[in-house]
Amino acid sequence: MICAVNSAQTRRRFAAALADPRAAGVACQLGASEMVFGPLPGSGWQFYTSSEGETPFALGVRGQTALLAGPADAEELAGFLGFLGVCRLRAAGMAPEGWTLRRRYSRMLLPVGEQLPRRELPATFVLQEHPAVSQVTEFLCQGESLSGDQQTRDCFYSETCTLVNHGRALLWAARSRTGEIAATAGVYAIWNKTAYLAGVETRQDARGNGLAGALVTGLANQLAEQRILVELLCLPALEEFYRRLGFIKQGEVSSYSPQPDLN
C-alpha cells in the first residue's frame, strides 16, 4: 500500500529507499526535495512510501511529474499515479504497469574527491557566482532546458529560490562584456554529500567558446573539494561531452509516460 510520508516511521522507510544503491540517479533530487519541501504545506510536493513490512520505496510527486526510487508494486503504482494526474515519471529501475519508456538518461558522475582538469573562461566572459534566480530562470526558458510557459517558469523560479535559500542549490553563470548571461550551470539538489548538476545551457551565439565546460568543471571541482559526489543526468548524445570533461558513466535512469488510451 502507498502511504503519505507524514510520520517518523514513514520517513524512515522513505530514507531507507533512498539509501539503496539502486536509487542512484534520483535519490539526491528526492532527498533534497523531501528535506526542504516536506515540512512546507502548499509547496506543491507530495511524498509517499510503502506500508510497514513492505520493501521500501520513495515517491515524490509535483503536479504532473513524479520521481521514484525503489520497487513499488507496478499495478498499484500505475493506478495511484493516474489518480493523481501524473503523466511523467522518472525512475531508477522500474515502470508502472502499462506505462511506456519515453527516454533513457545516462547517469554521469565525478567520484568523491576527484578533480577535473581546470578549464578557464575566455577573457571576454566573466564568472558570476550566485546570479539572480530570476535571471537564470529567464535564460533557461529562452533556451532548451525549460519550457517557456508561465506555469513552468513560475514553478522553477519558486522552487529554485527555496532550495538556494536552504543551501540545497548553487548557481553559476558566465556573463559577456555587455553583462548578459551567456551560459549557466547549477547544482539543483545537494543532499547526503551528493550534488545533482543540471541547467547546463549556453546561448546559441556564444557556443564554441568552452563556456559550459568551464562552468561545469569549476563548479564540480569546488564541490569535490568538499568531498561531495557530483552527478548529472544527460541524454546519451551528450555522454561524450561530459566524458571529455572527466565524468564517468554509472548506470541509467529512465522516464516513462502512460500508454495512450486507444478506446
Side-chain angles (χ1 to χ4, degrees):
M1 180 180 295
I2 298 175
C3 304
V5 176
N6 55 11
S7 66
Q9 291 82 4
T10 52
R11 286 189 177 87
R12 280 198 294 270
R13 293 199 292 276
F14 190 92
L18 297 184
D20 189 325
R22 292 173 295 181
V26 296
C28 180
Q29 300 165 72
L30 269 173
S33 297
E34 198 282 326
M35 181 176 290
V36 172
F37 299 106
L40 300 177
S43 69
W45 276 96
Q46 300 167 279
F47 300 97
Y48 304 93
T49 189
S50 59
S51 297
E52 188 70 38
E54 297 179 349
T55 303
F57 63 84
L59 175 67
V61 177
R62 186 193 62 184
Q64 296 182 321
T65 302
L67 292 169
L68 172 68
D73 179 86
E75 183 178 359
E76 182 185 16
L77 179 64
F80 186 73
L81 294 179
F83 174 76
L84 294 179
V86 173
C87 59
R88 294 181 297 272
L89 173 71
R90 185 175 291 180
M94 68 160 293
E97 185 175 279
W99 286 44
T100 58
L101 176 70
R102 294 179 58 238
R103 188 169 290 172
R104 293 192 190 277
Y105 297 93
S106 301
R107 180 180 179 242
M108 311 294 290
L109 61 82
L110 176 66
V112 175
E114 186 171 323
Q115 292 279 315
L116 299 176
R118 185 179 178 87
R119 295 178 178 235
E120 301 287 348
L121 286 173
T124 52
F125 296 91
V126 177
L127 172 65
Q128 182 186 20
E129 298 184 26
H130 314 295
V133 176
S134 59
Q135 295 177 353
V136 172
T137 301
E138 183 68 25
F139 179 79
L140 293 177
C141 285
Q142 292 174 353
E144 301 172 1
S145 296
L146 284 177
S147 165
D149 68 86
Q150 194 63 46
Q151 183 178 6
T152 299
R153 185 183 310 226
D154 292 346
C155 184
F156 176 84
Y157 171 74
S158 174
E159 182 169 315
T160 303
C161 282
T162 304
L163 289 166
V164 168
N165 291 338
H166 282 78
R168 299 290 165 182
L170 177 64
L171 311 183
W172 277 19
R175 290 188 180 273
S176 64
R177 284 179 173 174
T178 60
E180 296 177 309
I181 292 180
T184 66
V187 172
Y188 288 88
I190 303 173
W191 172 83
N192 196 29
K193 302 298 286 185
T194 302
Y196 173 67
L197 194 148
V200 180
E201 180 88 41
T202 302
R203 198 175 63 214
Q204 191 165 3
D205 63 358
R207 293 175 181 174
N209 291 293
L211 302 183
L215 290 177
V216 168
T217 56
L219 187 54
N221 285 342
Q222 183 181 98
L223 293 162
E225 290 174 358
Q226 304 171 46
R227 308 294 298 175
I228 294 175
L229 181 147
V230 180
E231 68 174 26
L232 61 91
L233 299 178
C234 71
L235 295 174
L238 293 174
E239 266 187 44
E240 186 56 31
F241 169 75
Y242 289 105
R243 204 185 303 275
R244 288 199 305 268
L245 294 182
F247 285 81
I248 61 173
K249 182 177 179 179
Q250 190 71 37
E252 295 181 339
V253 170
S254 301
S255 65
Y256 302 92
S257 61
Q259 290 182 354
D261 186 357
L262 301 179
N263 293 327

